[in-house]
Amino acid sequence: MKKKLKRSGRLVDMTYFLLQHPHQLVSLNFFADRYASAKSSISEDLTIVKEIFENEKMGYLTTLPGASGGVRYEPAVPFEEGNELVEQLCERLEEPDRLLPGGYLYMMDILGNPGMMNDIGRLFAGMYRGQNIDAVMTIATKGIPFAYAIATYLDVPVSIVRRDHRVTEGSVVSINYVSGSSKRIQKMSLARRSIPEGADVLIVDDFMKGGGTARGMSDLLTEVDAHLVGIAVLVEAQHPERLIDEYISLVRIAEVNEKTREIKAQPGNYREHLAD
Amino acid sequence: MKKKLKRSGRLVDMTYFLLQHPHQLVSLNFFADRYASAKSSISEDLTIVKEIFENEKMGYLTTLPGASGGVRYEPAVPFEEGNELVEQLCERLEEPDRLLPGGYLYMMDILGNPGMMNDIGRLFAGMYRGQNIDAVMTIATKGIPFAYAIATYLDVPVSIVRRDHRVTEGSVVSINYVSGSSKRIQKMSLARRSIPEGADVLIVDDFMKGGGTARGMSDLLTEVDAHLVGIAVLVEAQHPERLIDEYISLVRIAEVNEKTREIKAQPGNYREHLAD
């Protein structure tokens, strides 16, 4: 670009640039060069951007001083907006025509909505922002949009575990696991090169019943010498016993009555992790 | 919010808001209310935002006059930046350790990178911006991130076709199709309620050889009385005959030599569709 812009123009472009580069450290020099402006002006611009971002709780703008310093945008969703999002999600999940045979819920309209997925992704990214995360891992197919939404706002890669083993993945590590709800033995596989050794990984699950799938993914991490940071769950169903302990869920399905077609959805355990 | 903000604050918040709501018509009244400002001030703000967006080719800001009017942000990628992105993609695709047995290419590191996927999604969204698109359709698994990236910037839902038929999808329509490259008969299924009748649909494919998969998805659309708008392809391989005609591809694999492990990648046919 390298073009002299007035403050108003710089603010628009800077906001755009920071939103496109979440969790990346951008140096003052970069902006000074981009707008052919003095670093002191850029500093003032960033103070304005920071104030708006933090007052309106659109996320955090961290400024690091010094020669190697700069600014980093960390996306988040304000407390109130997060709660509204979850309420909206609960309402939609209670729609009776969502009930499928076997007590399953049709969720593809929700998972298929990129706008909603991105809001949810930003919400989770904000909750995990203090922790070091190198990658997000999920299992095909329906968890993928949810995982990408979180990974976008954390700026980390996504690794996809598969129930089948497709030829295009290269060297693969597989484990058997017991599905917590059906008690059947199943198999899951991970492309070995998709998770580097020692990586800190966030596991993502769109619908958790017994937690067997999440537990299986966590075992896969051990297998490739990576570490579990946490488990992000979109919807958890009632279940007598869970195979995992630490997770953050947005919604909990409290009751499903297949006869009356009634579904009761309530907020999950996420509130403890949402900053006021 | 409803809080008096100065122009500088409004510009930051407005940019943020428009980026979060691509392809949505936002009324002047909404912003006037949000910032407790006169519509004339909002109008001036939007002129500044529009100038920066369009000068820096970050996308289009369309203003619709009148009582029901407002402003709509349509994401795009500038010509030069689009070409750089494709060059970068070609270079990465030529890395020799990408070659897998059978002439397949490992692409999960590229498809697993949300930042890169989003840039590619914005690029395609810009190329299809003039056309009415109600939904994006792809086939599980690897096409999903690519499809979501495009759908995010077009603000439309994603519909996922599956090779297996999972119980949680409800009523399903299935077809048999012939894979263009392997000539085998395969089956693909679509949840009937995921595409409304009469919808205009963009098909998305991460890797196209003979085009049989894209052709199958196109046949599925006919089956549910929906219309094909176009086919977006990330990488196309060389193939003697194609089962489809109209598509936009970013990259074409010109040559794969399994012996020397050489891969030659070049830009696809997308340039005709990229505005200068």
Side-chain angles (χ1 to χ4, degrees), chain A residues 232-246:
Chain A
V233 175
L234 184 56
V235 177
E236 58 167 320
Q238 286 277 33
H239 205 266
E241 48 169 349
R242 291 240 195 267
L243 297 173
I244 56 156
D245 303 314
E246 293 292 321

Side-chain angles (χ1 to χ4, degrees), chain B residues 18-191:
Chain B
L18 289 169
L19 290 182
Q20 302 280 8
H21 299 87
H23 280 269
Q24 289 178 29
L25 187 65
V26 187
S27 72
L28 251 62
N29 281 332
F30 173 85
F31 280 132
D33 196 42
R34 184 174 172 99
Y35 307 127
S37 297
K39 279 212 264 183
S40 57
S41 308
I42 301 296
S43 243
E44 286 167 31
D45 296 344
L46 286 172
T47 308
I48 297 171
V49 176
K50 186 181 169 77
E51 205 187 301
I52 300 295
F53 272 47
E54 303 203 337
N55 278 355
E56 312 310 336
K57 300 210 179 70
M58 287 149 36
Y60 303 86
L61 214 67
T62 314
T63 348
L64 300 172
S68 65
V71 63
R72 185 168 46 215
Y73 162 57
E74 299 182 337
V77 167
F79 188 72
E80 231 175 80
E81 211 180 287
N83 288 337
E84 272 169 37
L85 184 62
V86 172
E87 258 172 57
Q88 205 186 327
L89 208 53
C90 286
E91 262 175 49
R92 290 195 59 178
L93 284 168
E94 290 183 345
E95 292 158 3
D97 62 349
R98 207 168 274 294
L99 198 57
L100 298 171
Y104 283 94
L105 296 185
Y106 181 82
M107 277 174 51
M108 258 323 288
D109 57 330
I110 293 169
L111 295 167
N113 180 332
M116 190 161 218
M117 278 300 111
N118 286 331
D119 287 344
I120 291 171
R122 210 162 65 248
L123 181 58
F124 272 104
M127 291 191 285
Y128 285 107
R129 82 177 254 270
Q131 303 191 48
N132 186 56
I133 293 174
D134 300 311
V136 164
M137 179 196 247
T138 193
I139 193 159
T141 305
K142 292 204 295 293
I144 300 177
F146 179 33
Y148 269 81
I150 300 179
T152 289
Y153 292 105
L154 291 173
D155 190 42
V156 297
V158 177
S159 171
I160 300 175
V161 174
R162 303 181 65 142
R163 290 195 176 90
D164 55 347
H165 164 168
R166 303 270 307 173
V167 71
T168 52
E169 308 267 303
S171 162
V172 157
V173 47
S174 297
I175 58 157
N176 292 316
Y177 71 105
V178 179
S179 156
S181 46
S182 72
K183 301 279 179 205
R184 274 186 309 145
I185 290 182
Q186 300 185 52
K187 189 174 177 170
M188 56 167 79
S189 312
L190 173 72

Side-chain angles (χ1 to χ4, degrees), chain A residues 177-235:
Chain A
Y177 71 105
V178 180
S179 157
S181 45
S182 72
K183 300 280 179 207
R184 275 187 308 145
I185 291 182
Q186 300 185 54
K187 189 174 177 170
M188 56 168 80
S189 311
L190 173 73
R192 204 174 268 279
R193 60 169 127 174
S194 78
I195 296 273
E197 220 180 284
D200 291 317
V201 179
L202 175 67
I203 285 178
V204 158
D205 200 357
D206 58 307
F207 193 82
M208 184 172 76
K209 280 184 143 172
T213 307
R215 178 60 190 268
M217 284 193 272
S218 156
D219 290 346
L220 262 184
L221 285 184
T222 311
E223 214 52 47
V224 299
D225 293 315
H227 312 297
L228 176 68
V229 176
I231 302 173
V233 175
L234 184 56
V235 177

Side-chain angles (χ1 to χ4, degrees), chain A residues 1 9 16 20 52 56 58 97 100 104 111-112 114 118 122 141-142 144-145 148 152 156-158 162 168 193, chain B residues 1 9 16 20 56 58 97 100 104 111-112 114 118 122 141-142 144-145 148 152 156-158 162 168 193:
Chain A
M1 173 176 309
Y16 179 89
Q20 302 279 8
I52 298 295
E56 312 310 334
M58 287 149 37
D97 62 348
L100 297 171
Y104 283 94
L111 295 168
N118 285 331
R122 210 162 66 246
T141 303
K142 293 205 294 293
I144 300 176
Y148 269 81
T152 290
V156 297
V158 177
R162 305 182 63 142
T168 52
R193 60 169 127 174
Chain B
M1 172 181 306
Y16 179 87
Q20 302 280 8
E56 312 310 336
M58 287 149 36
D97 62 349
L100 298 171
Y104 283 94
L111 295 167
N118 286 331
R122 210 162 65 248
T141 305
K142 292 204 295 293
I144 300 177
Y148 269 81
T152 289
V156 297
V158 177
R162 303 181 65 142
T168 52
R193 59 168 129 177

Side-chain angles (χ1 to χ4, degrees), chain A residues 72-107:
Chain A
R72 186 169 46 216
Y73 162 58
E74 300 182 337
V77 167
F79 188 72
E80 230 175 81
E81 211 180 288
N83 287 336
E84 272 169 38
L85 184 62
V86 171
E87 258 172 56
Q88 204 186 327
L89 208 54
C90 287
E91 262 175 49
R92 291 194 60 177
L93 284 168
E94 289 183 346
E95 292 158 2
D97 62 348
R98 207 168 273 293
L99 199 57
L100 297 171
Y104 283 94
L105 297 185
Y106 182 82
M107 280 174 49

